Amino acid sequence: RISMENSSSVKEFILLGLSENQGVQKIYFVVFLLFYTLTVAGNLLIVLTVTSSQHLNSPMYFFLCHLSFVDVCYSSVTAPKMISGSLVENNTISFAGCIGQLFGLHFFGCTEIFILTAMAYDRYVAICRPLHYPALMSRRLCGRMVGGSWAGGFLHSTLQTLPTALLPFCGPNKVAHYFCDVHPLLHLACADTRAMGLAAVANSGVISLSCFLILVVSYVVILVSLRGKTLAGWHKALSTCGSHITVVILFFGPCTFVYIRPSSDMSKDRSLAVFYTLITPMLNPLIYTLRNGEVKGAMRKLCRSK
């Protein structure tokens, strides 16, 4: 039996980061500081552009604005601590800070998954049922979809964080990752965590995989509906979906692989985590603006007005 003193003996954790080589860590500091700066600047520019433009008022841009805001929050949960930790030998984080980071990671990550799924539905209605699009994608429905995404992310994160926070941690305290996540913390708990590990996979893994399958099915339906269309129709449909498909692959690929199975290789998991916690949020503004003339035009107008 583990006493209450033992269960609370670990007051802080040490994040091992991506590498234990100090020279490599300094390179990571420069690279990831640049990535994070571009992530925040690019996504905030998207938010400012959409909110200030009178022309970008369709549901697609409403969802894009929320996606960009979530990307800023999501990358800010892990990146600052990882960047500052690259310059110190022992990157420590308090127990409360670790649990807070775990909550934020799953809250914003799951919210992003649901928003991407909502965006896929928006593209399906726009292409497959264009005449009914204004009625089906009303402002009220879009607001409910985004609100449901935030609520779903909160519920998922609570279910992941609360059981982990109640586990006894009596040492060691070295987290084999650059942020606090469920699997690395389960390895440190002074208790049998096999059931919790399976529950974590069932929670995060099933959400990631099921939403990914919904996205795949939606785009298969879109492609089937384009049969018999002209080349111009194909080009217009694929140009509106291409950006979203790219983001889905970059985000869901690594994320699904990490959370769909009980984790044993932490070095592989933390390397893949860089993609969905930092690289994809950084690329989102580029992906959505380079292929979208309306957004680029609104950005130029915003810059001239400033």
Side-chain angles (χ1 to χ4, degrees):
R1 188 174 65 89
I2 297 174
S3 66
M4 290 302 293
E5 285 110 358
N6 283 338
S7 67
S8 59
S9 62
V10 172
K11 301 297 184 183
E12 64 179 19
F13 293 99
I14 298 174
L15 301 173
L16 296 183
L18 289 168
S19 173
E20 297 183 20
N21 186 307
Q22 289 300 308
V24 175
Q25 285 282 73
K26 290 177 182 178
I27 296 174
Y28 284 151
F29 169 80
V30 175
V31 173
F32 293 128
L33 178 62
L34 176 62
F35 282 4
Y36 180 62
T37 303
L38 293 174
T39 299
V40 174
N43 283 289
L44 288 181
L45 181 59
I46 291 282
V47 173
L48 289 173
T49 301
V50 174
T51 53
S52 64
S53 175
Q54 297 179 348
H55 302 289
L56 303 180
N57 54 6
S58 68
M60 179 175 69
Y61 298 118
F62 174 74
F63 290 126
L64 177 60
C65 182
H66 280 272
L67 179 68
S68 295
F69 177 73
V70 170
D71 276 336
V72 172
C73 299
Y74 186 45
S75 58
S76 296
V77 171
T78 58
K81 187 64 180 174
M82 176 180 66
I83 292 167
S84 62
S86 300
L87 298 179
V88 296
E89 186 172 347
N90 288 325
N91 183 21
T92 60
I93 184 171
S94 67
F95 181 85
C98 184
I99 297 302
Q101 192 178 60
L102 171 63
F103 180 86
L105 177 81
H106 284 270
F107 176 41
F108 295 117
C110 189
T111 301
E112 175 152 351
I113 286 175
F114 289 145
I115 290 178
L116 287 171
T117 307
M119 292 174 77
Y121 176 73
D122 172 67
R123 292 300 84 205
Y124 159 76
V125 175
I127 294 170
C128 299
R129 306 187 66 182
L131 297 179
H132 300 91
Y133 182 75
L136 291 174
M137 295 303 297
S138 63
R139 185 175 294 273
R140 185 177 183 180
L141 176 62
C142 293
R144 286 180 174 178
M145 292 173 75
V146 168
S149 298
W150 286 98
F154 180 83
L155 178 61
H156 160 76
S157 185
T158 301
L159 293 175
Q160 291 287 77
T161 305
L162 192 58
T164 306
L166 295 176
L167 285 172
F169 293 97
C170 49
N173 67 337
K174 291 185 177 180
V175 180
H177 216 306
Y178 63 89
F179 59 80
C180 290
D181 202 358
V182 175
H183 290 307
L185 290 177
L186 291 182
H187 285 286
L188 301 179
C190 303
D192 186 355
T193 59
R194 285 174 292 183
M196 274 197 62
L198 292 175
V201 170
N203 191 339
S204 296
V206 168
I207 288 176
S208 301
L209 185 60
S210 59
C211 288
F212 181 69
L213 291 176
I214 290 172
L215 290 163
V216 170
V217 170
S218 69
Y219 281 110
V220 169
V221 173
I222 289 173
L223 291 175
V224 170
S225 70
L226 291 175
R227 288 186 303 176
K229 298 284 186 180
T230 62
L231 186 61
W234 273 86
H235 178 73
K236 182 179 180 180
L238 294 178
S239 65
T240 60
C241 296
S243 301
H244 190 254
I245 293 172
T246 304
V247 171
V248 165
I249 292 173
L250 288 174
F251 184 83
F252 276 89
C255 186
T256 303
F257 179 80
V258 168
Y259 288 107
I260 200 63
R261 77 205 201 289
S263 185
S264 56
D265 189 351
M266 289 297 167
S267 62
K268 185 183 294 184
D269 282 4
R270 59 189 177 188
S271 298
L272 286 172
V274 174
F275 281 91
Y276 60 83
T277 59
L278 194 59
I279 294 179
T280 302
M282 178 190 69
L283 294 177
N284 278 356
L286 293 175
I287 292 169
Y288 280 107
T289 55
L290 291 178
R291 298 177 59 89
N292 193 308
E294 287 183 323
V295 176
K296 286 190 288 187
M299 280 186 175
R300 285 194 291 268
K301 186 177 180 180
L302 176 66
C303 293
R304 285 198 297 268
S305 66
K306 296 299 180 182

